[in-house]
Amino acid sequence: MKLIHRIKVKLLTKNGKVLFSNFMYLSLLQVASYLFPLFTLPYLARVIGVGKFGEIAFAQAVIVWFQTFVDYGFIYSAVRDIARCKSNLNHVSHIYTNVMWARLLLVLISFIFLIGLIILIPLFYEKRLILFLTFFIVVGQAIFPDWLFQAFERMKYVTILNVLIKLLFTVLVFIFIKEEQDYLYQPVLMSLGYIVSGLISIRIISKWGIHWNKPNLFMISDTIRRNTSLFINQIIPNLYSNLSVILLGFFYGHIENGILDVGRKFVSIAISFMMILSRTFYPFLSRNISRHNLFFKLNLLVSFVMTIILFFFSQIIIDCFFTSEFRQAVIVLKILSFSIVFQSLINIYGTNYLIINGYEKETRNVTLVASVVGGVLTIPCTFYYGYIGVAAAITFSTGLMAFLMIMEYRKVKSKK
């Protein structure tokens, strides 16, 4: 009760009102990105079947690597840097220009690499059409500068716009997907939602007096170079997490991928909510790290509540949204629910303390160790235990990363 009272008191301050406002709009933005597709899941599962559903999950698992590569840690470094100088629009335009051009360059590199994978790997060649269509999500993400709105703590305009656009394209799923062979419309509609949102957001930013200038190759390469540690910190967990999905497709086929994806969907939504808390506080803590303790208590409380709900109500959740074909996803949901608390600890001690204070390399090293262990563990777990092994490996690796992040935090605090 004392914690809840303290939170209410903090929300009455000016900074508290800004935090609450940005939290609400970031929440709405995540609703557009995650809950709208969730509304279409039962319909898609019934119309296209578990096999095609697994193909979509396979393509998204591959494309997530490229999404993380194109982001390259800019959602942390750009937000932190702009939050500290947002009154200087010339400096903001400089950061904005370099980040946007860097992301587009990384899109080009990603597309070339995807073509190489399709040529070299038979499974990728077989699924080349859905991979190409899903790749346009990467293009849309690259031109959608939500990180700039976050740094300015002005999420209102871009959130309302994106919710309306994503709602429109969610409705279009029910209009265009009527039978199994229509499953390719799903990645097309998702990609269009991202691209339209990005283009309109760029227009809004230009009205603020922030300009996207001509590219400077030296500055672009320097921007990418300085973000390498943050990029490694982001890409490595995705490597072992999404590698397991691809291995599961190789070993067992797309039906098991579909079951795993259904169980992960709800945990992903919960973790996305935790990321909203993290992203809401990130620009604020970049200027007021002394308030870290309040963030710690709030984040941990919410993550425990979510874990308990998903663990004990997993059967009801799966039965409510899906047909009996997906009932085996219950055990996946139960196992992965523990990763919500672990991810919360990573946000608390890694993203919102170590990275804010400039310890990107230390954070990167922790992530490398935990991810290598996770990657090694994933292969036998996937081969012998299928989707249950994948869920267990991901949860264990996330827990190990959280533990090592706490140890690094304590080491830094003791030095101070």
Side-chain angles (χ1 to χ4, degrees):
M1 293 299 293
K2 288 183 178 180
L3 174 60
I4 294 173
H5 175 71
R6 285 186 64 192
I7 292 170
K8 287 181 178 179
V9 171
K10 295 292 183 183
L11 288 176
L12 293 176
T13 65
K14 182 179 179 181
N15 281 328
K17 290 177 181 178
V18 171
L19 283 172
F20 182 74
S21 173
N22 282 294
F23 171 76
M24 293 304 297
Y25 286 117
L26 274 169
S27 298
L28 283 173
L29 191 59
Q30 289 300 317
V31 165
S33 299
Y34 290 93
L35 287 188
F36 284 168
L38 183 63
F39 293 148
T40 65
L41 285 181
Y43 176 76
L44 287 174
R46 186 175 69 253
V47 172
I48 68 176
V50 66
K52 296 300 183 185
F53 197 90
E55 283 193 39
I56 292 173
F58 174 81
Q60 289 177 344
V62 173
I63 297 306
V64 161
W65 289 356
F66 297 117
Q67 287 180 277
T68 307
F69 177 66
V70 168
D71 177 73
Y72 216 81
F74 294 125
I75 60 170
Y76 298 118
S77 62
V79 170
R80 178 189 61 199
D81 296 342
I82 291 174
R84 292 171 177 172
C85 70
K86 60 184 181 181
S87 60
N88 186 337
L89 292 185
N90 286 330
H91 195 183
V92 171
S93 294
H94 175 74
I95 297 171
Y96 173 61
T97 295
N98 291 330
V99 171
M100 291 297 283
W101 282 115
R103 286 161 75 99
L104 290 177
L105 176 61
L106 295 172
V107 168
L108 178 60
I109 295 171
S110 298
F111 187 68
I112 294 170
F113 190 72
L114 176 62
I115 292 173
L117 291 175
I118 289 171
I119 293 171
L120 295 173
I121 303 175
L123 180 62
F124 280 52
Y125 183 80
E126 181 187 343
K127 307 300 178 187
R128 62 190 181 280
L129 182 55
I130 193 170
L131 286 170
F132 278 132
L133 292 175
T134 308
F135 183 82
F136 282 97
I137 294 175
V138 179
V139 178
Q141 178 185 294
I143 63 173
F144 178 39
D146 59 330
W147 45 271
L148 190 141
F149 291 91
Q150 182 193 349
F152 271 84
E153 297 177 281
R154 294 170 65 179
M155 295 299 300
K156 178 179 178 179
Y157 311 103
V158 70
T159 297
I160 294 173
L161 168 70
N162 274 273
V163 168
L164 292 175
I165 291 172
K166 297 291 173 61
L167 175 60
L168 170 62
F169 284 100
T170 298
V171 172
L172 291 177
V173 167
F174 295 97
I175 296 173
F176 285 99
I177 302 178
K178 297 293 186 181
E179 49 192 353
E180 184 177 323
Q181 57 264 37
D182 294 335
Y183 76 103
L184 290 174
Y185 287 125
Q186 195 269 351
V188 171
L189 293 172
M190 280 191 65
S191 300
L192 285 173
Y194 277 95
I195 291 170
V196 173
S197 298
L199 292 173
I200 298 177
S201 299
I202 290 171
R203 178 62 180 165
I204 292 172
I205 289 169
S206 68
K207 292 183 177 181
W208 292 357
I210 300 170
H211 305 292
W212 187 352
N213 302 316
K214 292 180 181 179
N216 181 313
L217 190 58
F218 173 78
M219 296 302 298
I220 293 169
S221 61
D222 186 60
T223 299
I224 294 173
R225 180 189 59 78
R226 287 187 289 106
N227 257 50
T228 300
S229 292
L230 284 173
F231 163 67
I232 293 172
N233 191 59
Q234 279 189 281
I235 192 68
I236 295 299
N238 280 329
L239 285 176
Y240 78 78
S241 176
N242 290 287
L243 174 64
S244 61
V245 177
I246 295 171
L247 288 175
L248 191 62
F250 275 113
F251 294 148
Y252 291 92
H254 293 302
I255 290 178
E256 295 243 344
N257 257 339
I259 292 170
L260 175 68
D261 188 62
V262 164
R264 291 182 72 179
K265 274 284 188 293
F266 297 95
V267 174
S268 295
I269 291 169
I271 289 177
S272 296
F273 184 81
M274 301 311 304
M275 293 303 294
I276 292 169
L277 276 178
S278 178
R279 292 185 65 184
T280 300
F281 274 83
Y282 188 83
F284 172 73
L285 291 174
S286 294
R287 304 187 306 272
N288 305 277
I289 195 62
S290 60
R291 303 297 181 90
H292 184 263
N293 193 47
L294 175 65
F295 172 69
F296 158 75
K297 292 177 180 177
L298 178 61
N299 212 305
L300 209 56
L301 173 64
V302 173
S303 65
F304 271 116
V305 170
M306 288 187 166
T307 297
I308 291 168
I309 291 172
L310 290 185
F311 184 86
F312 288 104
F313 294 93
S314 55
Q315 182 76 60
I316 296 172
I317 292 169
I318 298 298
D319 288 343
C320 180
F321 282 92
F322 298 96
T323 62
S324 58
E325 287 182 293
F326 295 90
R327 191 159 291 169
Q328 292 166 296
V330 171
I331 185 64
V332 174
L333 181 54
K334 283 183 180 292
I335 294 170
L336 288 174
S337 64
F338 292 99
S339 64
I340 299 170
V341 173
F342 298 147
Q343 186 60 54
S344 173
L345 292 170
I346 294 169
N347 292 342
I348 291 168
Y349 295 109
T351 305
N352 285 280
Y353 188 87
L354 294 175
I355 290 177
I356 282 177
N357 284 286
Y359 294 97
E360 289 99 337
K361 291 182 179 179
E362 289 78 3
T363 309
R364 176 202 63 195
N365 293 339
V366 166
T367 303
L368 277 172
V369 171
S371 299
V372 168
V373 172
V376 172
L377 189 64
T378 291
I379 298 172
C381 284
T382 305
F383 183 78
Y384 288 107
Y385 301 105
Y387 55 82
I388 295 176
V390 172
I394 291 174
T395 302
F396 174 82
S397 302
T398 310
L400 176 62
M401 192 182 301
F403 173 76
L404 294 176
M405 209 69 79
I406 293 171
M407 293 299 100
E408 190 62 41
Y409 163 81
R410 294 182 66 181
K411 188 189 301 183
V412 168
K413 290 286 283 186
S414 65
K415 287 180 181 178
K416 287 188 175 184

